[in-house]
Amino acid sequence: MSDRFYITTPIYYANDVPHIGHTGTTIFADIIARYQRSLGKDVFFLTGTDEHGEKVAKAAESAGKNPQEFVDELALKWQEYWKKLNISNDQFMRTTLPGHEKVAQELLVLLQAKGDIYKGVYKGIYCWGCEEFKSEKDLVDGKCPEHRPDQVEYREEDNYFFKLSKYIPRVKDLIESGELSVEPENKKAEMLARIEGGVNDLSASRQNVTWGVPIPWDTSHTTYVWIEALMNYYSATKIWNKEGFWPADVHFLGKGNNWFHSVIWPALLLALDLPLPKRVFVHGYYNVEGRKMGKSLGNVISPGELMDRYGVDGTRYLLAASMPYADDSDVSMKWFDEKFNSDLANGLGNLVSRVAKFVNGGSPSKERVALINTYYDNFKLNEVISESQKLVKFVNDYFSSEAPWKLEGDARKVVIDAAVEKIIEIANLLEPVMPESSSEIRKILSGEVPSKNLFMRIV
Ligand code: MSP
């Protein structure tokens, strides 16, 4: 097993601040990065902002700012959010970094030299909300399912094209055989079905978008933002001297980004003769109270709102607990309140203070539950959470039935030690999810710090 682990999140558009969707992906990846570090791996964890293209340029224009100034401000905000949420990314990618632009241009020149780029005319529909060329079958009633109707436009322009179709049979084989592991199974099936439906070559440049990386041999075009954005995963290894980490062990992303990561990106890497990522993990979306989350619906939940209410670890826990794994998941502030109260305030937090009353000095158990490790290895964070809650219940029941307050001497000590040991095991299991609280729990139970209310009940 390699002792290196390279994990990425998508780079998020620097057109707005994060909502819980972006926050969820980043927290999931952070939890896995922390888990991998706990196994002793040398981890490179990358997140960042996607700063070029039409969507970002339009947002800058509406804000009355020049694009560079606009993305500088937003990139800072994203970093501030991640810092507050205790995200342990090793670097933060910004696609306007000169180092990234240079590598992207070098890769484009290689694709051109290989004969995989040609000039043509693009005629068709473009959704600048997705920054994606759409076919009729991608649209529902002529509309993009993810964006406003005014974001979908007919375009006709000279473009450079990438010979995506040439690489499709190999990409298909790699996905089918699992050599490129697209997970979970339903997201893999979706990609294979879309491949079956036929794949055209991909427009790789934009003639009328000036905010982007110029095509090196024809600066009247900029690079199609998705191609350049995907290259960030590779350019990062050059910028920060992490060459030994390539290829990525896993790209984490939400379902809307699946095609780009599981098909287009592997095709580009095949064309470039570069090794392919090992796993692409695609989660579903958070819906809010049964509806898609969106500004126009006014139901966007922001990470700031969650942190104010549940604290940093509470937020991390709740997003992990509601992780949209194979399917979308439905959340609401009511659900978050209830889950916080039952699992953390009444559950783990109460258990710790209950047991702490009897404790001054326990013996931490380093033991991990093998099952939970399998869950982490398979990114099943909601299973990690529910297993930890089973343990909380188990220790609570054990404590009630053994009633150490009625015992004396060794008999009393045996019960308390057993409870402490189990709680420390829970803290260890949840360490990647709630790093601060886990360390607090260990300190409380070893008598290092006085007991306190870890999770204040939401009323
Ligand atoms: N810039 C591109 C990604 C380029 S990666 C080379 C992009 N950015 S984005 O800002 O739109 O972020 C998309 C990502 O945000 C998704 O992959 C997913 O991780 C996350 N989510 C956006 N909405 C979401 C939900 N409603 N629920 C869960 N995650 C969602 O696309």
Side-chain angles (χ1 to χ4, degrees), residues 258-386:
N258 192 0
W259 181 253
F260 291 99
H261 286 79
S262 298
V263 176
I264 297 178
W265 182 221
L268 285 166
L269 290 168
L270 287 172
L272 290 162
D273 291 316
L274 286 170
L276 264 50
K278 294 170 199 151
R279 301 168 81 178
V280 177
F281 177 74
V282 189
H283 62 76
Y285 279 177
Y286 288 108
N287 291 327
V288 178
E289 291 171 33
R291 298 161 87 194
K292 218 185 104 52
M293 188 170 44
K295 261 194 192 169
S296 47
L297 288 171
N299 63 350
V300 173
I301 301 181
S302 88
E305 206 177 333
L306 296 189
M307 279 190 280
D308 287 346
R309 201 160 170 86
Y310 311 112
V312 170
D313 278 355
T315 301
R316 295 172 60 99
Y317 182 94
L318 292 174
L319 289 182
S322 54
M323 177 186 194
Y325 187 79
D327 298 311
D328 291 354
S329 74
D330 198 45
V331 292
S332 64
M333 291 308 282
K334 184 167 173 281
W335 185 87
F336 284 138
D337 277 0
E338 284 167 8
K339 186 78 178 156
F340 182 88
N341 282 343
S342 69
D343 283 18
L344 296 180
N346 303 343
L348 182 58
N350 182 47
L351 175 66
V352 171
S353 46
R354 205 174 163 209
V355 174
K357 287 198 192 100
F358 296 89
V359 176
N360 40 33
S363 52
S365 144
K366 288 254 155 66
E367 188 187 298
R368 280 182 178 269
V369 174
L371 181 67
I372 301 246
N373 279 13
T374 325
Y375 290 151
Y376 275 122
D377 287 331
N378 293 303
F379 312 134
K380 295 192 166 169
L381 299 182
N382 15 27
E383 304 280 0
V384 170
I385 302 287
S386 55

Side-chain angles (χ1 to χ4, degrees), residues 106-169:
E106 284 166 5
L107 296 182
L108 283 160
V109 169
L110 288 175
L111 291 172
Q112 156 90 336
K114 181 107 185 250
D116 283 340
I117 302 271
Y118 63 92
K119 205 166 183 179
V121 180
Y122 178 81
K123 281 188 201 164
I125 298 155
Y126 191 80
C127 169
W128 58 262
C130 296
E131 292 279 21
E132 188 177 356
F133 302 92
K134 300 281 185 185
S135 71
E136 283 299 334
K137 55 180 185 278
D138 299 327
L139 304 174
V140 181
D141 299 330
K143 290 184 205 140
C144 166
E146 300 222 7
H147 294 97
R148 294 191 315 263
D150 65 290
Q151 289 173 292
V152 179
E153 286 166 10
Y154 178 81
R155 299 280 162 88
E156 192 171 330
E157 58 183 47
D158 281 351
N159 278 180
Y160 288 97
F161 283 80
F162 166 61
K163 289 187 184 167
L164 177 62
S165 55
K166 172 175 161 189
Y167 293 96
I168 288 295

Side-chain angles (χ1 to χ4, degrees), residues 147-217:
H147 294 97
R148 294 191 315 263
D150 65 290
Q151 289 173 292
V152 179
E153 286 166 10
Y154 178 81
R155 299 280 162 88
E156 192 171 330
E157 58 183 47
D158 281 351
N159 278 180
Y160 288 97
F161 283 80
F162 166 61
K163 289 187 184 167
L164 177 62
S165 55
K166 172 175 161 189
Y167 293 96
I168 288 295
R170 279 196 56 205
V171 172
K172 180 172 177 254
D173 285 351
L174 290 165
I175 296 179
E176 255 166 0
S177 70
E179 210 172 311
L180 170 64
S181 179
V182 179
E183 302 168 38
E185 209 45 51
N186 64 341
K187 301 296 187 289
K188 169 178 175 175
E190 275 168 31
M191 292 302 100
L192 291 172
R194 187 160 164 187
I195 288 175
E196 276 311 308
V199 181
N200 296 327
D201 286 343
L202 177 73
S203 171
S205 77
R206 300 297 311 279
Q207 205 184 17
N208 301 316
V209 178
T210 50
W211 180 239
V213 174
I215 291 284
W217 59 89

Side-chain angles (χ1 to χ4, degrees), residues 9-13 15 19-22 25 50 55 78 226 229-230 232-233 252-257 261 283-287 293 324:
T9 74
I11 45 171
Y12 306 104
Y13 288 123
N15 67 327
H19 58 53
I20 56 162
H22 315 110
T25 315
D50 188 353
K55 178 180 174 116
W78 284 79
W226 258 104
L230 288 164
N232 95 87
Y233 301 129
F252 256 66
L253 42 125
K255 63 180 184 180
N257 290 168
H261 286 79
H283 62 76
Y285 279 177
Y286 288 108
N287 291 327
M293 188 170 44

